[in-house]
């Protein structure tokens, strides 16, 4: 059901009255919006007047707030004024906006208005000082279009610099398609040099690798004759054309090595060495050449991003050659990288290989090597697995084993924000229910940032004056500038409540609460955690969980992880609705339940079918909820094959521990899926045990063990 604007305003008015009445009796009596929001009130009153089609009165309110309000409400008022009145009044308002709030967001608003008003010279003047390699691409596109309209003598050179100095974006492509291509000669042979280079980059953007491969020889001739320099991103494009358009890796590697040596004094030398390494890495017998190319690329890197790229591929090659040897020296490379999280996927791929090949002893060495260099999440993961392998006796440490186990689990507990490893580590350390509860309430390990009252005023005003649709997009832009956790949670609660009338607000509420929790050190209250783990559609979940004998908390965790409670969502693979069912799966379930006509976008049908399906999987997986979840994600046949293989490797005839089995799964997506579901299920049971009628309260120990064993 969609909530009407009138109803939202009514609800918001009630919230505002409740807010006013909740003030302490010992504090001064608050009796008007002006006393809460001060001069910012005029912005929100202006919005209401604008909705009532009282434009002149709205303009007066916006003008008042622009002069007297705090920064963000004043800026929003100035933005609205650019859309009101006559053409000349809009132009004047645009000038006021950029004079008072000179940032790229204001420039973009003004540039659009100037362009629509055919004030092309004003667009050019406004954007004269922009950096063509760094500034907002949409704004630069408008500049280029204005320059084309006026016949600016700098037009061609600026277009070329814009296209050659940065990654091609959708704005580049639409400009090329709608404006630039109209200037091109009919025959490509008549293209100017710049036209040829720009078109080459567009062809690569369109992934026409064969065409780009054909054109590359012409580019090499141009470089050779010094008609143009080998621009770095152009060389990157050529590298992609050879990588994806040709499988003659030896020839390509030799070519790029020669070019790297020839152009060693150019910034593009990095890309020549980098792609030479990529080509050689495709060959089985060119390990030394591959390593040399990536190491030389690292030496020629011009920024941290390039260096990390080359380091990533270097490590991947070394891991593929011998991950055991690489582990022993990985700190040598880890000490050089800039963004630890960029390398998480390398470790995530390495861990299952170590597990299924029985190389368990290397986890201790790996932990020592990467501790202090890898991301907190990777460190926690490796520390926990190391502790478990010690605990299960797969790694021998003699008399120091117990000390080493405690050290590993303590490291996992105190590292990162991934609740899965924190919860399991605390369980392994024997934490009490009270101690575990404190861990669940500390959701992140970041430093708080100073509060920006102006940003908070804007967001809270949207709540109190009834504009829920404006909250999430504005919060996305402002939360890192200093929106407190308390205010973010208040906004999330408001959207949570609005979701009762318009379900589109459900996922927005979760996103605000979860993201704000991830950037605070605040000890979260249970009510705040309930916003992160809500129980939307509770009547339906309770009904079908009871009918198909499934734990309600598992269904809530499933829906939250699959769709964030967005009933209209459809994945790229075609999974639909709250529980993300494929249509074929839905057809099978409908046949079993004898349902003739159904839609997976219907919330009740989707919850019913998803609950039935997970219930069926639990039965087929001998009662294992964790294996059922893996099967829900990857298919039961695969999971059975993986389990059989893992049990053989670990010498188990039965009862493979679920936490170790998870780390052996070959699909990163399925491993992370299991972690999320286990964590969310535990949170749901802990937060709502007093409201769930289907079961008695269980200890954390019992909950964790219900998944692991």
């Amino acid at each position: 059901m969609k909530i009407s604007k009138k109803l939202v305003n009514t609800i918001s008015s009630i919230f505002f009255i409740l807010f006013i009445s909740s003030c302490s009796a010992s504090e001064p009596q608050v009796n008007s919006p002006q006393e809460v929001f001060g001069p910012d009130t005029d912005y929100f009153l202006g919005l209401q007047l604008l909705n009532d089609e009282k434009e002149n009165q709205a303009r007066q309110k916006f003008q008042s707030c622009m002069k007297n309000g705090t920064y963000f409400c004043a800026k929003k008022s100035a933005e609205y004024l650019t859309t009101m009145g006559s053409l000349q009044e809009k132009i004047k308002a645009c000038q006021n906006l950029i004079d008072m709030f000179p940032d790229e967001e204001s420039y973009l608003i003004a540039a659009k208005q100037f362009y629509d008003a055919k004030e092309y010279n004003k667009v050019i003047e406004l954007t004269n000082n922009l950096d063509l390699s760094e500034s907002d691409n949409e704004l630069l596109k408008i500049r280029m279009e204005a320059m084309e309209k006026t016949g600016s003598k700098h037009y061609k050179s600026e277009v070329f610099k814009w296209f050659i100095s940065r990654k091609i974006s959708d704005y580049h492509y639409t400009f090329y398609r709608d404006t630039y291509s109209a200037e091109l000669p009919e025959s490509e042979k008549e293209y100017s040099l710049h036209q040829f280079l720009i078109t080459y980059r567009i062809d690569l953007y369109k992934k026409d690798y064969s065409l780009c491969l054909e054109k590359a020889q012409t580019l090499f001739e141009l470089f050779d004759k010094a008609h143009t320099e080998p621009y770095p991103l152009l060389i990157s494009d050529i590298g992609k054309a050879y990588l994806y358009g040709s499988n003659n890796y030896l020839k390509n590697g030799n070519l790029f090595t020669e070019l790297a040596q020839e152009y060693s004094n150019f910034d593009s030398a990095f890309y020549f060495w980098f792609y030479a390494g990529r080509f050689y890495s495709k060959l089985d017998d060119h390990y030394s050449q591959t390593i040399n190319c990536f190491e030389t690329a690292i030496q020629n890197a011009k920024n941290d991003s390039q260096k990390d790229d080359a380091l990533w591929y270097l490590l991947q090659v070394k891991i593929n050659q011998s991950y055991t040897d690489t582990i022993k020296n990985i700190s040598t490379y880890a000490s050089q990288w800039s963004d630890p999280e960029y390398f998480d996927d390398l470790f995530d791929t390495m861990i299952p290989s170590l597990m299924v090949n029985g190389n368990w002893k290397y986890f201790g060495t790996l932990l020592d090597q990467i501790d202090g260099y890898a991301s907190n999440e990777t460190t926690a993961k490796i520390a926990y697995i190391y502790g478990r392998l010690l605990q299960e006796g797969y790694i021998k440490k003699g008399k120091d084993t117990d000390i080493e186990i405690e050290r590993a689990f303590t490291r996992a507990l105190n590292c990162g924000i991934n609740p899965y490893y924190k919860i399991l580590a605390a369980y392994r350390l024997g934490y009490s229910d009270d101690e575990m509860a404190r861990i669940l309430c500390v959701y992140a390990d970041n430093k708080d940032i100073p509060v920006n009252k102006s940003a908070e005023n804007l967001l809270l005003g949207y709540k109190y004056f009834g504009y829920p649709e404006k909250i999430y997009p504005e919060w996305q832009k402002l939360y890192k500038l200093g929106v407190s956790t308390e205010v973010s949670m208040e906004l999330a609660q408001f959207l949570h409540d609005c979701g009762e009338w318009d379900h589109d607000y459900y996922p927005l509420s979760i996103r605000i609460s979860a993201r704000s929790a991830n950037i605070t050190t605040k000890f979260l209250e249970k009510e705040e955690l309930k916003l992160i783990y809500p129980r939307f559609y509770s009547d339906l979940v309770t009904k079908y969980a009871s009918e198909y004998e499934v734990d309600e908390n598992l269904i809530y965790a499933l829906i939250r992880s699959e769709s964030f409670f967005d009933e209209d969502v459809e994945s790229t693979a075609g999974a639909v609705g709250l529980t993300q069912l494929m249509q074929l799966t839905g057809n099978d379930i409908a046949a079993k339940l004898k349902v003739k006509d159904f839609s997976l976008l219907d919330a009740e049908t989707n919850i019913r079918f998803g609950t039935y399906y997970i219930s069926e999987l639990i039965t087929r997986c001998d009662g294992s909820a964790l294996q059922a979840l893996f099967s829900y994600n990857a298919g039961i046949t695969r999971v059975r094959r993986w389990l059989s293989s893992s049990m053989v490797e670990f010498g188990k005839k039965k009862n493979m521990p679920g936490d170790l089995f998870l780390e052996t799964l070959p699909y990163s997506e399925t491993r992370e899926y299991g972690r999320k579901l286990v964590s969310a299920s535990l949170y749901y049971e802990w937060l709502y045990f007093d409201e769930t009628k289907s079961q008695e309260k269980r200890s954390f120990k019992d909950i964790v063990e219900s998944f692991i064993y």
Side-chain angles (χ1 to χ4, degrees):
M1 174 184 175
K2 299 293 184 183
I3 186 169
S4 69
K5 181 65 185 175
K6 183 177 180 181
L7 183 54
V8 170
N9 284 329
T10 302
I11 296 166
S12 301
S13 299
I14 295 171
F15 273 111
F16 186 79
I17 293 169
L18 292 174
F19 168 74
I20 298 298
S21 64
S22 68
C23 294
S24 170
S26 63
E27 297 176 352
Q29 183 63 40
V30 179
N31 51 25
S32 71
Q34 284 78 7
E35 291 187 47
V36 179
F37 295 100
D40 290 345
T41 304
D42 283 335
Y43 166 62
F44 302 107
L45 294 178
L47 289 179
Q48 292 180 340
L49 289 165
L50 199 59
N51 287 339
D52 293 337
E53 300 182 354
K54 299 177 180 179
E55 185 172 305
N56 288 334
Q57 292 169 272
R59 286 177 65 190
Q60 293 175 3
K61 293 297 182 183
F62 290 142
Q63 287 168 346
S64 174
C65 183
M66 183 179 67
K67 294 177 182 178
N68 305 309
T70 62
Y71 181 85
F72 288 104
C73 285
K75 184 181 180 187
K76 296 301 292 185
S77 295
E79 290 174 5
Y80 270 100
L81 287 169
T82 66
T83 66
M84 305 171 72
S86 67
L87 178 60
Q88 291 305 312
E89 287 172 321
K90 291 177 181 178
I91 295 297
K92 182 179 178 180
C94 286
Q95 194 61 54
N96 285 336
L97 173 66
I98 57 180
D99 288 345
M100 296 179 68
F101 308 100
D103 58 30
E104 286 199 357
E105 186 177 38
S106 296
Y107 290 164
L108 181 59
I109 292 169
K112 286 179 177 178
Q113 286 284 14
F114 291 156
Y115 189 88
D116 290 343
K118 296 182 171 54
E119 295 279 357
Y120 303 126
N121 285 322
K122 282 186 175 292
V123 173
I124 296 169
E125 182 183 357
L126 173 66
T127 57
N128 267 336
N129 295 321
L130 295 180
D131 185 338
L132 293 172
S133 63
E134 296 289 341
S135 296
D136 180 80
N137 274 317
E138 184 179 8
L139 182 56
L140 290 173
K141 174 177 177 286
I142 296 172
R143 174 178 173 81
M144 300 307 158
E145 290 170 341
M147 293 180 81
E148 189 272 337
K149 292 288 187 183
T150 60
S152 169
K153 64 180 181 179
H154 301 297
Y155 166 66
K156 291 183 179 180
S157 62
E158 288 207 13
V159 168
F160 177 70
K161 185 175 180 181
W162 182 42
F163 270 82
I164 209 68
S165 64
R166 64 196 301 173
K167 180 180 178 181
I168 300 297
S169 67
D170 287 344
Y171 292 109
H172 287 87
Y173 175 68
T174 54
F175 172 79
Y176 178 90
R177 182 194 64 199
D178 300 337
T179 303
Y180 191 79
S181 61
E183 308 160 21
L184 295 174
E186 291 185 9
S187 171
E188 192 171 293
K189 293 181 180 180
E190 299 173 7
Y191 282 11
S192 70
L193 175 61
H194 284 183
Q195 288 172 336
F196 182 76
L197 298 182
I198 288 172
T199 302
Y200 187 89
R201 296 214 68 201
I202 288 295
D203 289 338
L204 194 285
Y205 174 78
K206 293 160 62 177
K207 299 183 179 180
D208 195 339
Y209 301 122
S210 297
L211 178 61
C212 288
L213 194 62
E214 291 176 14
K215 289 182 174 183
Q217 190 58 46
T218 302
L219 288 172
F220 292 143
E221 292 173 4
L222 291 170
F223 300 152
D224 187 51
K225 296 176 181 178
H227 290 313
T228 185
E229 66 178 276
Y231 296 98
L233 292 180
L234 183 61
I235 301 309
S236 177
D237 286 351
I238 297 172
K240 291 185 181 76
Y242 274 83
L243 187 64
Y244 302 118
S246 166
N247 59 8
N248 196 335
Y249 301 122
L250 179 58
K251 180 180 178 182
N252 297 342
N254 292 338
L255 171 63
F256 273 68
T257 299
E258 292 173 8
L259 291 167
Q261 294 166 343
E262 182 177 350
Y263 297 103
S264 60
N265 294 325
F266 287 82
D267 288 348
S268 53
F270 167 81
Y271 286 111
F272 282 122
W273 286 115
F274 177 76
Y275 280 100
R278 295 286 303 275
F279 299 133
Y280 287 134
S281 70
K282 301 286 187 181
L283 305 169
D284 294 332
D285 54 352
H286 285 69
Y287 175 75
S288 297
Q289 286 169 284
T290 304
I291 297 301
N292 178 66
C293 287
F294 285 131
E295 287 179 341
T296 311
I298 291 168
Q299 295 168 12
N300 282 273
K302 299 303 178 184
N303 53 55
D304 290 341
S305 177
Q306 288 183 353
K307 188 175 182 180
D308 281 355
D309 271 349
L311 268 169
W312 191 96
Y313 280 99
L314 173 66
L315 279 170
Q316 185 187 56
V317 170
K318 283 184 167 291
I319 289 167
N320 290 340
Q321 179 73 9
S322 174
Y323 54 75
T324 54
D325 289 341
T326 305
I327 286 170
K328 297 173 185 176
N329 303 293
I330 202 167
S331 61
T332 303
Y333 305 99
S335 61
Q336 299 180 56
W337 62 47
S338 301
D339 180 6
E341 292 182 1
Y342 186 74
F343 297 84
D344 282 350
D345 59 340
L346 281 179
F347 293 105
D348 200 44
T349 301
M350 185 193 300
I351 287 169
S353 296
L354 289 171
M355 294 288 282
V356 300
N357 289 309
N359 290 306
W360 307 309
K361 65 181 181 180
Y362 290 101
F363 276 95
T365 304
L366 183 58
L367 178 60
D368 290 339
Q369 285 282 309
I370 58 93
D371 200 2
Y373 297 118
S375 72
N376 283 334
E377 301 312 310
T378 287
T379 304
K381 183 187 303 182
I382 292 169
Y384 178 78
I385 297 169
Y386 176 51
R388 284 290 289 125
L389 292 170
L390 284 166
Q391 198 173 52
E392 291 285 332
Y394 294 107
I395 304 175
K396 306 295 183 182
K397 274 286 183 179
K399 63 181 180 180
D400 295 330
T401 298
D402 290 341
I403 296 173
E404 191 74 356
I405 290 171
E406 184 174 359
R407 181 183 79 89
F409 289 145
T410 301
R411 189 72 186 92
L413 177 66
N414 296 324
C415 206
I417 62 173
N418 190 319
Y420 177 79
Y421 291 106
K422 291 168 75 77
I423 291 167
L424 292 190
Y427 159 73
R428 295 296 175 187
L429 290 167
Y431 275 36
S432 67
D433 280 13
D434 288 341
E435 290 172 319
M436 188 76 85
R438 284 194 292 275
I439 289 168
L440 294 177
C441 288
V442 178
Y443 208 75
D445 59 356
N446 300 280
K447 293 182 179 179
D448 286 318
I449 55 178
V451 169
N452 187 317
K453 287 296 184 183
S454 176
E456 291 190 339
N457 238 31
L458 176 64
L459 293 167
L460 288 173
Y462 286 142
K463 170 193 169 183
Y464 294 127
F465 287 90
Y467 294 94
E469 73 281 2
K470 294 181 180 294
I471 288 175
Y472 182 69
E474 206 67 54
W475 182 86
Q476 282 185 298
K477 293 190 290 185
L478 298 178
Y479 76 97
K480 289 183 179 179
L481 298 180
V483 179
S484 68
T485 306
E486 290 81 3
V487 167
S488 291
M489 291 298 180
E490 187 175 345
L491 297 170
Q493 182 66 62
F494 176 61
L495 295 181
H496 176 288
D497 296 335
C498 287
E500 294 299 313
W501 290 273
D502 185 342
H503 294 169
D504 288 347
Y505 290 114
Y506 282 158
L508 303 184
S509 171
I510 302 173
R511 289 190 179 100
I512 288 179
S513 57
R515 199 173 301 169
S516 62
N518 280 334
I519 59 169
T520 183
T521 56
K522 181 181 180 292
F523 188 89
L524 299 177
E525 302 295 334
K526 269 194 170 184
E527 292 306 310
E528 292 172 323
L529 286 167
K530 285 182 178 180
L531 291 171
I532 303 173
Y533 297 96
R535 299 207 306 175
F536 301 132
Y537 307 97
S538 56
D539 291 346
L540 296 176
V541 172
T542 298
K543 174 182 177 181
Y544 291 111
S546 175
E547 181 173 342
Y548 300 123
E549 299 181 341
V550 182
D551 183 357
E552 286 182 34
N553 300 305
L554 186 65
I555 303 303
Y556 285 120
L558 179 72
I559 295 173
R560 184 188 184 279
S561 299
E562 289 284 358
S563 66
F564 249 38
F565 292 92
D566 184 348
E567 63 188 54
D568 299 322
V569 69
E570 182 172 351
S571 74
T572 54
V576 175
L578 292 167
T579 62
Q580 286 291 276
L581 290 170
M582 299 295 287
Q583 190 63 49
L584 286 175
T585 304
N587 293 341
D588 290 341
I589 295 169
K592 292 175 181 178
L593 295 177
K594 298 181 180 179
V595 175
K596 292 184 178 180
D597 298 320
F598 70 93
S599 169
L600 292 177
L601 289 174
D602 173 69
E604 180 165 5
T605 300
N606 197 285
I607 290 173
R608 181 189 180 190
F609 282 22
T611 305
Y612 173 84
Y613 186 43
I614 196 69
S615 171
E616 186 182 55
L617 288 172
I618 290 173
T619 300
R620 294 171 67 187
C621 292
D622 299 323
S624 171
L626 186 60
Q627 289 179 34
L629 292 173
F630 293 150
S631 301
Y632 195 97
N633 178 262
I636 193 168
T637 302
R638 283 197 186 112
V639 173
R640 284 174 171 167
R641 185 171 67 248
W642 295 337
L643 180 60
S644 176
S645 176
S646 296
M647 288 174 67
V648 168
E649 188 57 49
F650 278 79
K652 296 279 185 181
K653 294 184 178 180
K654 59 180 181 178
N655 298 330
M656 175 75 178
D659 55 343
L660 291 181
F661 174 48
L662 181 148
E663 305 298 346
T664 69
L665 301 180
Y667 292 166
S668 176
E669 176 193 339
T670 307
R671 294 194 297 274
E672 187 57 27
Y673 182 83
R675 295 179 193 118
K676 287 180 179 179
L677 267 294
V678 170
S679 304
S681 295
L682 189 144
Y683 266 103
Y684 272 110
E685 184 155 348
W686 172 60
L687 289 169
Y688 297 100
F689 72 85
D690 54 341
E691 302 173 30
T692 304
K693 300 176 182 179
S694 62
Q695 62 185 41
E696 298 294 327
K697 180 183 178 182
R698 296 188 293 174
S699 67
F700 281 108
K701 179 176 181 292
D702 291 336
I703 301 170
V704 172
E705 289 180 353
S706 69
F707 282 100
I708 294 176
Y709 300 113

